[in-house]
Amino acid sequence: QLNMAKKKEAFLKDFKEGPLHFKPTYKFDLDSEVYDTSEKKRKPAWTDRILWKVKNLCEVASKEGEFPEEENPISVILNSYVSHMSYGISDHKPVTGTFKLEMKPLVSDPLVTLNPEGEWSAEHDVLIRYSAAPELPSSAWDWIGLFQVTFRHVKDYVTYAWVEDDEISSSRNSKQVYMSASEIPKMGGEFLLCYYSNNLQSVVGISEPFQV
């Protein structure tokens, strides 16, 4: 029935499913592995299923002129697709799937390279040197954030510097900005720097970890 629907309904055609190497998961007598013994004698069926679909981001972006159509940057691999016959509280047996998700970078090289200069501590203002690729669509709203190495979101910054307002030197190959000593964490630890592009709405450069 599902295969017939996939052929008929356009929105189902791109969905994938793993091989059904398990027995039908419906309909069981409660608390048993015996199929329906009631008067209805319902036929066993693979009612519980897991389907997945990966949106073709490259194709969409190519149509919008953002980057050339290449290999999809997201790949999904099904590692296991099984039923669990030991559960008996329903006339269905639960089904689980485990997947490996790989997200490939959209660019091979970072648009910005950046490094902390000198010794970083809360006792004095500190310096950051960075260089940007010519194709970076820079903005006055770009900023460089100081993050703990365990950060999980772009809003997890400890402090930040505006690339234009806090700039103190500029040359053809690199620029230099400062961060105030009052913003540097006194407890120290391992940190890194991230360059956030306002136009691209993403981090486009990350430094190597360093000690404060």
Side-chain angles (χ1 to χ4, degrees):
Q1 186 178 12
L2 176 61
N3 290 334
M4 291 170 61
K6 288 179 68 176
K7 293 178 180 178
K8 182 179 179 181
E9 302 292 344
F11 78 94
L12 284 174
K13 289 181 179 178
D14 293 331
F15 279 87
K16 297 180 181 179
E17 183 183 20
L20 294 172
H21 292 324
F22 49 84
K23 296 192 300 182
T25 56
Y26 175 84
K27 178 186 194 274
F28 287 89
D29 291 341
L30 295 184
D31 297 313
S32 78
E33 295 184 18
V34 178
Y35 290 112
D36 190 12
T37 58
S38 69
E39 294 180 357
K40 294 183 178 180
K41 297 288 184 182
R42 294 181 180 177
K43 294 182 179 179
W46 283 277
T47 305
D48 307 277
R49 314 284 278 272
I50 297 175
L51 308 181
W52 77 92
K53 174 183 176 181
V54 178
K55 187 175 181 180
N56 193 331
L57 298 178
C58 284
E59 181 179 344
V60 172
S62 179
K63 292 179 180 178
E64 297 177 355
E66 294 180 8
F67 54 88
E69 185 173 350
E70 297 175 349
E71 183 182 3
N72 199 323
I74 300 176
S75 67
V76 176
I77 298 174
L78 177 67
N79 287 336
S80 69
Y81 186 29
V82 296
S83 63
H84 300 274
M85 304 298 287
S86 60
Y87 289 86
I89 60 174
S90 168
D91 53 1
H92 294 261
K93 300 297 183 181
V95 172
T96 61
T98 59
F99 298 83
K100 177 183 177 182
L101 173 64
E102 180 179 353
M103 301 188 70
K104 303 177 179 65
L106 299 182
V107 294
S108 57
D109 298 313
L111 292 175
V112 175
T113 57
L114 63 167
N115 298 284
E117 292 208 324
E119 180 182 349
W120 276 49
S121 75
E123 298 178 359
H124 55 78
D125 292 350
V126 293
L127 300 177
I128 304 164
R129 185 174 297 276
Y130 76 93
S131 58
E135 60 268 28
L136 174 70
S138 60
S139 163
W141 298 103
D142 289 357
W143 51 272
I144 297 173
L146 177 67
F147 294 80
Q148 292 183 309
V149 292
T150 54
F151 85 99
R152 301 182 64 181
H153 192 277
V154 70
K155 292 184 178 180
D156 293 341
Y157 56 81
V158 176
T159 185
Y160 63 89
W162 296 106
V163 296
E164 288 196 8
D165 290 352
D166 297 319
E167 181 180 304
I168 60 174
S169 69
S170 176
S171 67
R172 177 182 298 180
N173 297 323
S174 66
K175 295 184 178 182
Q176 199 175 46
V177 299
Y178 81 96
M179 282 184 176
S180 172
S182 62
E183 302 295 333
I184 305 303
K186 294 182 179 180
M187 78 291 189
E190 193 172 22
F191 293 83
L192 48 76
L193 298 166
C194 294
Y195 187 108
Y196 184 84
S197 167
N198 184 68
N199 286 330
L200 298 178
Q201 293 289 295
S202 66
V203 171
V204 294
I206 302 178
S207 75
E208 292 294 329
F210 60 94
Q211 292 292 323
V212 172

Short mmCIF file of all heavy atoms in Angstrom, two decimals, residues 134-192:
data_model
loop_
_atom_site.label_atom_id
_atom_site.label_comp_id
_atom_site.label_asym_id
_atom_site.label_seq_id
_atom_site.Cartn_x
_atom_site.Cartn_y
_atom_site.Cartn_z
N PRO A 134 38.75 37.98 -0.75
CA PRO A 134 38.12 39.05 -1.54
C PRO A 134 36.62 38.86 -1.75
O PRO A 134 35.88 39.83 -1.86
CB PRO A 134 38.87 38.98 -2.88
CG PRO A 134 40.17 38.33 -2.55
CD PRO A 134 39.87 37.36 -1.45
N GLU A 135 36.17 37.60 -1.78
CA GLU A 135 34.75 37.35 -2.05
C GLU A 135 33.85 37.49 -0.82
O GLU A 135 32.63 37.33 -0.92
CB GLU A 135 34.55 35.95 -2.66
CG GLU A 135 35.01 34.79 -1.80
CD GLU A 135 36.46 34.38 -2.06
OE1 GLU A 135 37.26 35.23 -2.48
OE2 GLU A 135 36.76 33.19 -1.85
N LEU A 136 34.44 37.79 0.35
CA LEU A 136 33.61 37.97 1.54
C LEU A 136 32.76 39.24 1.41
O LEU A 136 33.30 40.33 1.25
CB LEU A 136 34.47 38.07 2.79
CG LEU A 136 33.71 38.40 4.09
CD1 LEU A 136 32.85 37.21 4.51
CD2 LEU A 136 34.65 38.81 5.20
N PRO A 137 31.44 39.12 1.49
CA PRO A 137 30.57 40.32 1.44
C PRO A 137 30.56 41.00 2.80
O PRO A 137 29.64 40.83 3.59
CB PRO A 137 29.21 39.74 1.06
CG PRO A 137 29.22 38.36 1.66
CD PRO A 137 30.65 37.88 1.57
N SER A 138 31.58 41.77 3.10
CA SER A 138 31.75 42.35 4.43
C SER A 138 30.67 43.38 4.73
O SER A 138 30.05 43.96 3.84
CB SER A 138 33.13 42.98 4.56
OG SER A 138 33.29 44.01 3.60
N SER A 139 30.46 43.61 6.03
CA SER A 139 29.43 44.53 6.49
C SER A 139 29.93 45.24 7.73
O SER A 139 30.75 44.71 8.49
CB SER A 139 28.14 43.77 6.80
OG SER A 139 27.26 44.53 7.59
N ALA A 140 29.41 46.45 7.98
CA ALA A 140 29.75 47.18 9.20
C ALA A 140 29.23 46.46 10.43
O ALA A 140 29.65 46.76 11.56
CB ALA A 140 29.18 48.58 9.14
N TRP A 141 28.32 45.51 10.24
CA TRP A 141 27.75 44.77 11.35
C TRP A 141 28.45 43.44 11.59
O TRP A 141 28.01 42.64 12.43
CB TRP A 141 26.26 44.53 11.11
CG TRP A 141 25.46 45.80 11.03
CD1 TRP A 141 24.99 46.40 9.91
CD2 TRP A 141 25.10 46.65 12.12
NE1 TRP A 141 24.33 47.56 10.21
CE2 TRP A 141 24.38 47.74 11.57
CE3 TRP A 141 25.29 46.59 13.50
CZ2 TRP A 141 23.87 48.76 12.36
CZ3 TRP A 141 24.77 47.60 14.29
CH2 TRP A 141 24.07 48.67 13.72
N ASP A 142 29.55 43.17 10.90
CA ASP A 142 30.33 41.96 11.18
C ASP A 142 31.02 42.11 12.53
O ASP A 142 31.40 43.23 12.92
CB ASP A 142 31.39 41.75 10.10
CG ASP A 142 30.80 41.32 8.76
OD1 ASP A 142 29.56 41.14 8.70
OD2 ASP A 142 31.57 41.19 7.80
N TRP A 143 31.20 41.01 13.22
CA TRP A 143 31.87 41.06 14.52
C TRP A 143 32.69 39.81 14.76
O TRP A 143 32.50 38.78 14.11
CB TRP A 143 30.87 41.26 15.66
CG TRP A 143 29.70 40.31 15.67
CD1 TRP A 143 28.51 40.45 15.03
CD2 TRP A 143 29.61 39.05 16.36
NE1 TRP A 143 27.68 39.39 15.27
CE2 TRP A 143 28.33 38.52 16.10
CE3 TRP A 143 30.47 38.35 17.19
CZ2 TRP A 143 27.91 37.29 16.62
CZ3 TRP A 143 30.05 37.13 17.72
CH2 TRP A 143 28.78 36.62 17.44
N ILE A 144 33.64 39.92 15.67
CA ILE A 144 34.48 38.80 16.07
C ILE A 144 34.19 38.49 17.52
O ILE A 144 34.29 39.37 18.39
CB ILE A 144 35.97 39.11 15.88
CG1 ILE A 144 36.28 39.35 14.40
CG2 ILE A 144 36.83 37.96 16.42
CD1 ILE A 144 37.70 39.83 14.15
N GLY A 145 33.81 37.26 17.79
CA GLY A 145 33.43 36.87 19.15
C GLY A 145 34.48 36.01 19.81
O GLY A 145 35.20 35.26 19.15
N LEU A 146 34.58 36.15 21.12
CA LEU A 146 35.44 35.28 21.93
C LEU A 146 34.55 34.20 22.54
O LEU A 146 33.56 34.51 23.22
CB LEU A 146 36.13 36.08 23.03
CG LEU A 146 37.01 35.29 24.01
CD1 LEU A 146 38.23 34.73 23.29
CD2 LEU A 146 37.43 36.17 25.19
N PHE A 147 34.88 32.93 22.27
CA PHE A 147 34.05 31.81 22.72
C PHE A 147 34.88 30.81 23.51
O PHE A 147 36.07 30.62 23.23
CB PHE A 147 33.46 31.06 21.52
CG PHE A 147 32.47 31.84 20.71
CD1 PHE A 147 32.90 32.76 19.77
CD2 PHE A 147 31.11 31.64 20.87
CE1 PHE A 147 31.99 33.47 19.00
CE2 PHE A 147 30.19 32.35 20.10
CZ PHE A 147 30.63 33.27 19.17
N GLN A 148 34.27 30.16 24.47
CA GLN A 148 34.88 28.98 25.05
C GLN A 148 34.89 27.87 24.00
O GLN A 148 33.99 27.82 23.15
CB GLN A 148 34.13 28.53 26.30
CG GLN A 148 34.25 29.50 27.48
CD GLN A 148 33.57 28.98 28.72
OE1 GLN A 148 32.40 28.58 28.66
NE2 GLN A 148 34.27 28.98 29.83
N VAL A 149 35.87 27.00 24.06
CA VAL A 149 35.98 25.97 23.02
C VAL A 149 34.78 25.02 23.02
O VAL A 149 34.52 24.35 22.03
CB VAL A 149 37.29 25.15 23.19
CG1 VAL A 149 38.50 26.00 22.91
CG2 VAL A 149 37.38 24.54 24.59
N THR A 150 34.03 25.00 24.11
CA THR A 150 32.87 24.10 24.20
C THR A 150 31.58 24.77 23.76
O THR A 150 30.49 24.21 23.97
CB THR A 150 32.70 23.61 25.65
OG1 THR A 150 32.62 24.76 26.52
CG2 THR A 150 33.87 22.73 26.08
N PHE A 151 31.66 25.94 23.09
CA PHE A 151 30.43 26.65 22.72
C PHE A 151 29.60 25.82 21.74
O PHE A 151 30.13 25.02 20.97
CB PHE A 151 30.78 28.02 22.13
CG PHE A 151 31.10 28.03 20.66
CD1 PHE A 151 30.16 28.41 19.73
CD2 PHE A 151 32.37 27.68 20.20
CE1 PHE A 151 30.44 28.43 18.37
CE2 PHE A 151 32.67 27.70 18.85
CZ PHE A 151 31.70 28.08 17.93
N ARG A 152 28.28 26.05 21.77
CA ARG A 152 27.37 25.28 20.93
C ARG A 152 26.53 26.15 20.02
O ARG A 152 25.85 25.64 19.13
CB ARG A 152 26.45 24.42 21.80
CG ARG A 152 27.21 23.44 22.70
CD ARG A 152 26.28 22.59 23.51
NE ARG A 152 25.46 21.72 22.68
CZ ARG A 152 24.54 20.88 23.15
NH1 ARG A 152 24.33 20.80 24.45
NH2 ARG A 152 23.83 20.15 22.33
N HIS A 153 26.55 27.46 20.26
CA HIS A 153 25.72 28.36 19.46
C HIS A 153 26.42 29.67 19.31
O HIS A 153 27.23 30.08 20.17
CB HIS A 153 24.35 28.54 20.13
CG HIS A 153 23.33 29.21 19.27
ND1 HIS A 153 23.26 30.58 19.13
CD2 HIS A 153 22.35 28.71 18.48
CE1 HIS A 153 22.27 30.90 18.30
NE2 HIS A 153 21.70 29.77 17.89
N VAL A 154 26.14 30.37 18.20
CA VAL A 154 26.81 31.64 17.94
C VAL A 154 26.51 32.68 19.02
O VAL A 154 27.29 33.63 19.22
CB VAL A 154 26.42 32.17 16.54
CG1 VAL A 154 24.98 32.63 16.53
CG2 VAL A 154 27.34 33.29 16.09
N LYS A 155 25.43 32.51 19.76
CA LYS A 155 25.09 33.45 20.82
C LYS A 155 25.79 33.13 22.14
O LYS A 155 25.58 33.81 23.14
CB LYS A 155 23.57 33.47 21.03
CG LYS A 155 22.80 34.08 19.86
CD LYS A 155 21.31 34.17 20.16
CE LYS A 155 20.55 34.82 19.01
NZ LYS A 155 19.09 34.91 19.29
N ASP A 156 26.64 32.11 22.15
CA ASP A 156 27.35 31.72 23.37
C ASP A 156 28.64 32.51 23.59
O ASP A 156 29.47 32.11 24.41
CB ASP A 156 27.68 30.22 23.33
CG ASP A 156 26.44 29.34 23.39
OD1 ASP A 156 25.39 29.85 23.82
OD2 ASP A 156 26.54 28.15 23.01
N TYR A 157 28.82 33.61 22.88
CA TYR A 157 30.07 34.36 23.00
C TYR A 157 30.24 34.93 24.41
O TYR A 157 29.27 35.25 25.10
CB TYR A 157 30.12 35.50 21.98
CG TYR A 157 28.96 36.46 22.04
CD1 TYR A 157 28.92 37.50 22.98
CD2 TYR A 157 27.88 36.34 21.15
CE1 TYR A 157 27.85 38.38 23.04
CE2 TYR A 157 26.81 37.22 21.21
CZ TYR A 157 26.80 38.23 22.15
OH TYR A 157 25.74 39.09 22.21
N VAL A 158 31.51 35.05 24.82
CA VAL A 158 31.85 35.68 26.09
C VAL A 158 31.85 37.20 25.93
O VAL A 158 31.34 37.94 26.76
CB VAL A 158 33.21 35.19 26.60
CG1 VAL A 158 33.61 35.92 27.89
CG2 VAL A 158 33.19 33.69 26.82
N THR A 159 32.44 37.65 24.83
CA THR A 159 32.43 39.05 24.44
C THR A 159 32.69 39.12 22.95
O THR A 159 32.94 38.09 22.31
CB THR A 159 33.48 39.87 25.21
OG1 THR A 159 33.34 41.26 24.87
CG2 THR A 159 34.89 39.40 24.88
N TYR A 160 32.64 40.33 22.38
CA TYR A 160 32.86 40.46 20.95
C TYR A 160 33.40 41.84 20.63
O TYR A 160 33.35 42.77 21.46
CB TYR A 160 31.57 40.20 20.16
CG TYR A 160 30.46 41.19 20.44
CD1 TYR A 160 30.36 42.37 19.70
CD2 TYR A 160 29.53 40.95 21.44
CE1 TYR A 160 29.33 43.29 19.96
CE2 TYR A 160 28.52 41.85 21.70
CZ TYR A 160 28.42 43.02 20.96
OH TYR A 160 27.42 43.92 21.23
N ALA A 161 33.94 41.97 19.41
CA ALA A 161 34.44 43.26 18.92
C ALA A 161 33.87 43.48 17.53
O ALA A 161 33.80 42.55 16.72
CB ALA A 161 35.97 43.26 18.88
N TRP A 162 33.43 44.72 17.27
CA TRP A 162 32.96 45.08 15.93
C TRP A 162 34.18 45.24 15.02
O TRP A 162 35.16 45.88 15.40
CB TRP A 162 32.16 46.37 15.94
CG TRP A 162 30.90 46.29 16.73
CD1 TRP A 162 30.64 46.83 17.94
CD2 TRP A 162 29.70 45.60 16.34
NE1 TRP A 162 29.37 46.53 18.35
CE2 TRP A 162 28.75 45.79 17.39
CE3 TRP A 162 29.32 44.85 15.22
CZ2 TRP A 162 27.47 45.24 17.34
CZ3 TRP A 162 28.04 44.32 15.17
CH2 TRP A 162 27.14 44.51 16.21
N VAL A 163 34.14 44.65 13.84
CA VAL A 163 35.33 44.68 12.98
C VAL A 163 35.66 46.09 12.48
O VAL A 163 36.82 46.39 12.17
CB VAL A 163 35.17 43.72 11.78
CG1 VAL A 163 35.06 42.28 12.27
CG2 VAL A 163 33.96 44.09 10.93
N GLU A 164 34.67 46.97 12.42
CA GLU A 164 34.94 48.34 11.97
C GLU A 164 35.12 49.29 13.15
O GLU A 164 36.11 50.04 13.21
CB GLU A 164 33.81 48.83 11.04
CG GLU A 164 33.83 48.17 9.67
CD GLU A 164 32.98 48.93 8.66
OE1 GLU A 164 32.51 50.04 8.98
OE2 GLU A 164 32.80 48.41 7.54
N ASP A 165 34.21 49.28 14.09
CA ASP A 165 34.29 50.23 15.21
C ASP A 165 35.53 50.01 16.07
O ASP A 165 36.07 50.96 16.64
CB ASP A 165 33.04 50.12 16.08
CG ASP A 165 31.80 50.66 15.38
OD1 ASP A 165 31.94 51.24 14.29
OD2 ASP A 165 30.69 50.49 15.93
N ASP A 166 35.97 48.75 16.20
CA ASP A 166 37.10 48.44 17.08
C ASP A 166 38.40 48.21 16.30
O ASP A 166 39.37 47.69 16.85
CB ASP A 166 36.78 47.21 17.94
CG ASP A 166 35.60 47.46 18.86
OD1 ASP A 166 35.54 48.56 19.44
OD2 ASP A 166 34.74 46.57 18.99
N GLU A 167 38.41 48.60 15.03
CA GLU A 167 39.62 48.43 14.22
C GLU A 167 40.67 49.48 14.62
O GLU A 167 40.36 50.65 14.85
CB GLU A 167 39.28 48.59 12.74
CG GLU A 167 40.46 48.41 11.81
CD GLU A 167 40.08 48.58 10.35
OE1 GLU A 167 39.15 47.87 9.91
OE2 GLU A 167 40.68 49.45 9.69
N ILE A 168 41.94 49.02 14.71
CA ILE A 168 43.00 49.96 15.05
C ILE A 168 44.08 50.04 13.97
O ILE A 168 44.88 50.97 13.98
CB ILE A 168 43.66 49.58 16.41
CG1 ILE A 168 44.25 48.17 16.35
CG2 ILE A 168 42.66 49.72 17.54
CD1 ILE A 168 45.03 47.81 17.59
N SER A 169 44.12 49.09 13.05
CA SER A 169 45.06 49.17 11.94
C SER A 169 44.54 48.34 10.78
O SER A 169 43.77 47.40 10.96
CB SER A 169 46.46 48.67 12.36
OG SER A 169 46.45 47.27 12.58
N SER A 170 44.99 48.72 9.58
CA SER A 170 44.53 48.03 8.38
C SER A 170 45.61 48.09 7.31
O SER A 170 46.31 49.10 7.16
CB SER A 170 43.24 48.66 7.86
OG SER A 170 42.83 48.06 6.66
N SER A 171 45.78 46.99 6.60
CA SER A 171 46.69 46.94 5.47
C SER A 171 46.04 46.13 4.37
O SER A 171 44.92 45.63 4.53
CB SER A 171 48.04 46.31 5.87
OG SER A 171 47.86 44.94 6.21
N ARG A 172 46.74 45.96 3.27
CA ARG A 172 46.17 45.22 2.15
C ARG A 172 45.90 43.77 2.54
O ARG A 172 44.92 43.16 2.10
CB ARG A 172 47.12 45.28 0.96
CG ARG A 172 46.63 44.46 -0.23
CD ARG A 172 47.63 44.50 -1.38
NE ARG A 172 47.82 45.87 -1.88
CZ ARG A 172 48.65 46.17 -2.89
NH1 ARG A 172 49.36 45.20 -3.46
NH2 ARG A 172 48.76 47.41 -3.30
N ASN A 173 46.76 43.20 3.36
CA ASN A 173 46.67 41.77 3.66
C ASN A 173 45.94 41.43 4.94
O ASN A 173 45.45 40.31 5.10
CB ASN A 173 48.07 41.16 3.71
CG ASN A 173 48.78 41.26 2.37
OD1 ASN A 173 48.17 41.13 1.32
ND2 ASN A 173 50.09 41.51 2.42
N SER A 174 45.88 42.36 5.90
CA SER A 174 45.25 42.02 7.18
C SER A 174 44.76 43.27 7.89
O SER A 174 45.13 44.40 7.55
CB SER A 174 46.24 41.27 8.07
OG SER A 174 47.32 42.11 8.44
N LYS A 175 43.93 43.03 8.90
CA LYS A 175 43.41 44.09 9.75
C LYS A 175 43.56 43.69 11.21
O LYS A 175 43.70 42.50 11.53
CB LYS A 175 41.94 44.38 9.42
CG LYS A 175 41.72 44.91 8.01
CD LYS A 175 40.26 45.26 7.76
CE LYS A 175 40.07 45.84 6.37
NZ LYS A 175 38.66 46.23 6.11
N GLN A 176 43.52 44.70 12.06
CA GLN A 176 43.72 44.46 13.48
C GLN A 176 42.62 45.16 14.27
O GLN A 176 42.30 46.32 14.02
CB GLN A 176 45.09 44.98 13.91
CG GLN A 176 45.62 44.41 15.20
CD GLN A 176 47.04 44.90 15.47
OE1 GLN A 176 47.34 46.08 15.33
NE2 GLN A 176 47.91 43.99 15.87
N VAL A 177 42.01 44.43 15.21
CA VAL A 177 41.00 45.01 16.10
C VAL A 177 41.39 44.70 17.54
O VAL A 177 42.23 43.83 17.79
CB VAL A 177 39.59 44.46 15.79
CG1 VAL A 177 39.16 44.78 14.38
CG2 VAL A 177 39.54 42.96 16.02
N TYR A 178 40.78 45.40 18.47
CA TYR A 178 41.11 45.17 19.88
C TYR A 178 39.86 44.79 20.66
O TYR A 178 38.73 45.07 20.27
CB TYR A 178 41.74 46.43 20.50
CG TYR A 178 40.76 47.47 20.93
CD1 TYR A 178 40.32 47.55 22.26
CD2 TYR A 178 40.23 48.39 20.01
CE1 TYR A 178 39.40 48.50 22.64
CE2 TYR A 178 39.30 49.34 20.40
CZ TYR A 178 38.89 49.40 21.72
OH TYR A 178 37.97 50.33 22.11
N MET A 179 40.11 44.12 21.80
CA MET A 179 39.07 43.85 22.78
C MET A 179 39.51 44.44 24.10
O MET A 179 40.68 44.35 24.47
CB MET A 179 38.84 42.33 22.94
CG MET A 179 38.02 41.69 21.86
SD MET A 179 37.71 39.94 22.21
CE MET A 179 36.64 39.52 20.83
N SER A 180 38.59 45.04 24.82
CA SER A 180 38.90 45.69 26.08
C SER A 180 39.24 44.66 27.15
O SER A 180 38.62 43.59 27.24
CB SER A 180 37.71 46.53 26.54
OG SER A 180 37.91 47.01 27.85
N ALA A 181 40.21 44.99 27.99
CA ALA A 181 40.62 44.10 29.08
C ALA A 181 39.46 43.81 30.02
O ALA A 181 39.37 42.72 30.60
CB ALA A 181 41.79 44.72 29.84
N SER A 182 38.55 44.77 30.18
CA SER A 182 37.43 44.58 31.10
C SER A 182 36.47 43.49 30.64
O SER A 182 35.68 42.99 31.44
CB SER A 182 36.67 45.90 31.26
OG SER A 182 36.11 46.31 30.01
N GLU A 183 36.54 43.12 29.36
CA GLU A 183 35.64 42.10 28.82
C GLU A 183 36.27 40.70 28.81
O GLU A 183 35.59 39.71 28.53
CB GLU A 183 35.24 42.46 27.39
CG GLU A 183 34.56 43.82 27.26
CD GLU A 183 33.22 43.86 27.96
OE1 GLU A 183 32.59 42.81 28.09
OE2 GLU A 183 32.81 44.96 28.39
N ILE A 184 37.56 40.61 29.09
CA ILE A 184 38.25 39.33 29.05
C ILE A 184 38.00 38.58 30.35
O ILE A 184 38.17 39.15 31.44
CB ILE A 184 39.76 39.52 28.83
CG1 ILE A 184 40.01 40.35 27.57
CG2 ILE A 184 40.47 38.17 28.73
CD1 ILE A 184 39.40 39.77 26.32
N PRO A 185 37.59 37.31 30.31
CA PRO A 185 37.27 36.56 31.54
C PRO A 185 38.50 36.38 32.44
O PRO A 185 39.54 35.92 31.98
CB PRO A 185 36.75 35.22 31.01
CG PRO A 185 37.29 35.11 29.62
CD PRO A 185 37.36 36.51 29.09
N LYS A 186 38.37 36.76 33.69
CA LYS A 186 39.49 36.68 34.62
C LYS A 186 39.84 35.24 34.99
O LYS A 186 40.97 34.96 35.38
CB LYS A 186 39.17 37.49 35.88
CG LYS A 186 39.05 38.99 35.63
CD LYS A 186 38.78 39.74 36.92
CE LYS A 186 38.70 41.24 36.65
NZ LYS A 186 38.43 42.01 37.90
N MET A 187 38.86 34.34 34.90
CA MET A 187 39.13 32.97 35.30
C MET A 187 40.01 32.24 34.29
O MET A 187 40.55 31.18 34.56
CB MET A 187 37.83 32.20 35.53
CG MET A 187 37.10 31.72 34.29
SD MET A 187 36.39 33.06 33.30
CE MET A 187 35.40 32.14 32.13
N GLY A 188 40.15 32.81 33.08
CA GLY A 188 41.00 32.18 32.06
C GLY A 188 40.39 30.91 31.51
O GLY A 188 39.20 30.63 31.67
N GLY A 189 41.21 30.15 30.80
CA GLY A 189 40.76 28.90 30.21
C GLY A 189 41.12 28.84 28.74
O GLY A 189 41.93 29.63 28.24
N GLU A 190 40.52 27.89 28.04
CA GLU A 190 40.79 27.70 26.62
C GLU A 190 39.66 28.31 25.80
O GLU A 190 38.50 28.01 26.01
CB GLU A 190 40.94 26.21 26.29
CG GLU A 190 41.53 25.94 24.92
CD GLU A 190 41.84 24.48 24.68
OE1 GLU A 190 41.24 23.63 25.37
OE2 GLU A 190 42.67 24.19 23.81
N PHE A 191 40.04 29.15 24.85
CA PHE A 191 39.06 29.89 24.07
C PHE A 191 39.42 29.84 22.58
O PHE A 191 40.49 29.35 22.20
CB PHE A 191 39.00 31.36 24.53
CG PHE A 191 38.46 31.54 25.91
CD1 PHE A 191 39.29 31.39 27.02
CD2 PHE A 191 37.13 31.86 26.12
CE1 PHE A 191 38.79 31.55 28.30
CE2 PHE A 191 36.62 32.02 27.40
CZ PHE A 191 37.46 31.86 28.49
N LEU A 192 38.51 30.36 21.77
CA LEU A 192 38.79 30.55 20.36
C LEU A 192 38.00 31.77 19.86
O LEU A 192 37.11 32.27 20.53
CB LEU A 192 38.46 29.30 19.54
CG LEU A 192 37.13 28.58 19.72
CD1 LEU A 192 36.00 29.33 19.06
CD2 LEU A 192 37.21 27.18 19.16
#
